[in-house]
Amino acid sequence: MKEALGRRLDRLSGEANELLKLAAVAGREFSYETLSLVAEHDDETLLRLLEEGLGARVIEEAQQAGRFRFTHALMQETLLEEISTTRRVRLHGPIGEAIEQRYGDRAREQAARLAGHFVESAALNRDHAARAVRYSGLAVEEALDRLAWPEAAAHFEHALELLETAGGLPPLDEAALHEGLGRALVAMGGREADGFREAALAFRVYADAADTGAAFRVAAALGPAGIGGHRYEGMLAEAISLQPEGNPERGFLECELAFRRGLRGEHGESLRRLDVAFAIADRTGNRHLELRALEARATTDDFNGRPGLDDHVRAAALADELGDAPVAARAHPMAALSHLTHTLDLGAALRHAEAGRRAAEKTGLSAQILTAAYLESLVHLNLGEVSNREALERALELSPLDPRIVCTRFCFALVSGNNEEAEASLETFDHLDRELRGSLRSTSSFLVWGSCSYAAWWWATGLASARDMATRLCEEERRSRCGRWGTIGCFSRPGLVTIASGDAARIAAWHDEPETGESWRYSGLPPLQVVRGLAAEKLGRPAEALAHHNEAFDVYRPSLWLWPIAALERARLLVGDWNSGGRKRRR
């Protein structure tokens, strides 16, 4: 192919070849006006040389008058290969300037093209470095508006690489590129750790320069992604210290740090920080700050055993009122989860779950869409709608190896009696355990949802291999101190593992004080009350066991997922179907 294209170029005059090399640097498509501003030819000569290229079928006219394009991408590449690197880099600058001149006040509309040219030319022209940063920022803003996260990330990475070769930038300009790259990497999903590292580089520069606005921007933007651990808490604490007392920015940062501390069980400190945020919101009339404080208080209450349902519902309503899709995409799913685990109002749970999915899809943020789809699939599971897999399939499409999603797929299979899919889900956990655990965003998530699935499989089948795997993962989770979030929806899991141990003292200790809280009273597979009944049976307390099973039978009537499990265990106990040596269930 290249030989055939080369023969076309051989038919051109030397002048035409040089002009088209310049056009190749301008891009696959280029304009007469740009060439006229850069090439040293009068209009008549320029037209004659372009017509020579048209006659040789090297270029062709585009639909818009005065615009041309190369007939084949390889034609452009062939011409570029004939130009030295130094000359090509030098040509990018005049072409960028010509495009700026042509578009004038509308130059920002060509931000991506201009960024590409000035980033390249910055290696030889330091004056172009500032333009490279400016147009890179505009190009990425445009890409982010289109939710084109990978495109934005690739652009930033390319800009940083070339500008480093050119000798770097002033610290604040370089920090802006690191910040933008971090934002794009976090938003696109899968590279959150890289995104945090880039954002942290930018934060350090901003904090050292006492640029409080930029430092706030970086620290606040990382909050919803749930990344960074203790390093992020340190960043938040420093960002708070940079802010004047009483300003809304400080209130938002207090919310983020309160949220993180609440998830670690430091409920008192979390609430004290949130009181500060609520006071600032009330004094300044900042409803967006009020919204973030509501959202943070609801979740930190949930994770510390107090129902956060009312605040979740208020946050969802306020997010809708303010038109804040990213917060609505978090608040509605959390309201749905609260209804699932606290009230079993499945109608309300479904309404919130569907609203959360709609809001998440508007944001284009893969992490938010994934969580919203996951929680909507849980509602359908509780409604007994195991054939309604649309939300589950959306989650699997986004992240098939996310432990939450693998566990949900397992539950769908368990309820529908699809042993093949249930076993395939467990094989995925085996794969994660063997090969991918170190690369998982959250090892805690793997330990929690993996052990939950294996414990449920042991309960359903009596397989010793499932019991042993659940026991190992639970013990590893206990040693790793995953945090209070690890018990959400999984309170029955340590109970099943304890029962499997056969240790009467451990079983009695768990039965009498299971690790739970009022906020998650209706959760677990099997339901918590059912597992307490199984523990009582193992301890030889049939009356207590029947009381637990009766409670589960009454409580879980709304759930066509959990109620049949409660009914099955109650019926089994009533007919005396108990074998102390183990049992195998029929689904």
Side-chain angles (χ1 to χ4, degrees), residues 111-304:
R113 291 175 61 198
L114 288 167
H117 289 303
F118 287 127
V119 163
E120 295 282 353
S121 67
L124 295 179
N125 188 331
R126 297 293 299 156
D127 291 340
H128 288 166
R131 296 188 196 182
V133 172
R134 175 171 176 264
Y135 286 116
S136 290
L138 292 173
V140 170
E141 284 180 17
E142 191 272 334
L144 296 179
D145 286 343
R146 292 187 286 109
L147 308 180
W149 315 114
E151 177 185 329
H155 187 83
F156 271 127
E157 287 178 318
H158 181 60
L160 282 165
E161 180 182 343
L162 288 175
L163 290 170
E164 181 179 353
T165 302
L169 290 169
L172 289 175
D173 288 340
E174 188 168 339
L177 292 177
H178 283 293
E179 177 190 353
L181 176 57
R183 178 184 173 194
L185 291 174
V186 168
M188 67 189 280
R191 295 186 62 186
E192 289 88 352
D194 293 336
F196 180 83
R197 184 169 57 252
E198 294 292 333
L201 288 172
F203 178 84
R204 184 73 273 135
V205 174
Y206 295 147
D208 290 345
D211 188 337
T212 59
F216 162 74
R217 187 175 63 236
V218 173
L222 291 172
I227 57 177
H230 288 287
R231 291 176 300 160
Y232 180 52
E233 290 186 28
M235 180 190 293
L236 285 169
E238 184 174 358
I240 289 171
S241 71
L242 294 172
Q243 298 294 329
E245 289 191 14
N247 75 337
E249 287 78 9
R250 183 174 187 132
F252 280 106
L253 295 170
E254 292 282 9
C255 287
E256 296 302 335
L257 188 53
F259 177 78
R260 293 303 185 103
R261 296 287 166 82
L263 296 194
R264 291 205 279 113
E266 298 175 19
H267 199 207
E269 183 188 347
S270 176
L271 293 179
R272 284 193 296 274
R273 290 186 177 277
L274 287 171
D275 285 342
V276 172
F278 275 115
I280 295 173
D282 184 58
R283 187 165 57 252
T284 62
N286 192 313
R287 302 202 73 199
H288 285 279
L289 176 54
E290 177 190 358
L291 172 57
R292 183 65 189 108
L294 278 171
E295 185 187 18
R297 186 172 66 187
T299 305
T300 198
D301 278 351
D302 279 341
F303 282 75
N304 287 276

Side-chain angles (χ1 to χ4, degrees), residues 342-356:
H342 184 63
T343 68
L344 278 180
D345 184 341
L346 300 185
L350 183 60
R351 288 191 296 274
H352 280 293
E354 291 175 339

Side-chain angles (χ1 to χ4, degrees), residues 396-446:
L396 286 167
E397 171 193 338
L398 288 169
S399 187
L401 297 181
D402 186 297
R404 298 170 300 171
I405 310 309
V406 179
C407 182
T408 305
R409 180 190 177 203
F410 167 80
C411 291
F412 267 76
L414 193 66
V415 172
S416 61
N418 187 338
N419 288 359
E420 184 176 346
E421 184 173 21
E423 290 169 352
S425 300
L426 295 177
E427 287 173 4
T428 301
F429 277 121
D430 287 342
H431 174 63
L432 292 172
D433 188 39
R434 289 193 310 271
E435 301 179 28
L436 299 178
R437 182 155 356 155
S439 65
L440 290 176
R441 175 178 161 188
S442 172
T443 301
S444 303
S445 178
F446 164 75

Side-chain angles (χ1 to χ4, degrees), residues 52-68:
E52 190 176 336
L54 289 168
R57 291 186 295 116
V58 174
I59 59 174
E60 61 188 6
E61 291 184 286
Q63 290 183 343
Q64 184 180 346
R67 294 198 64 80
F68 304 85

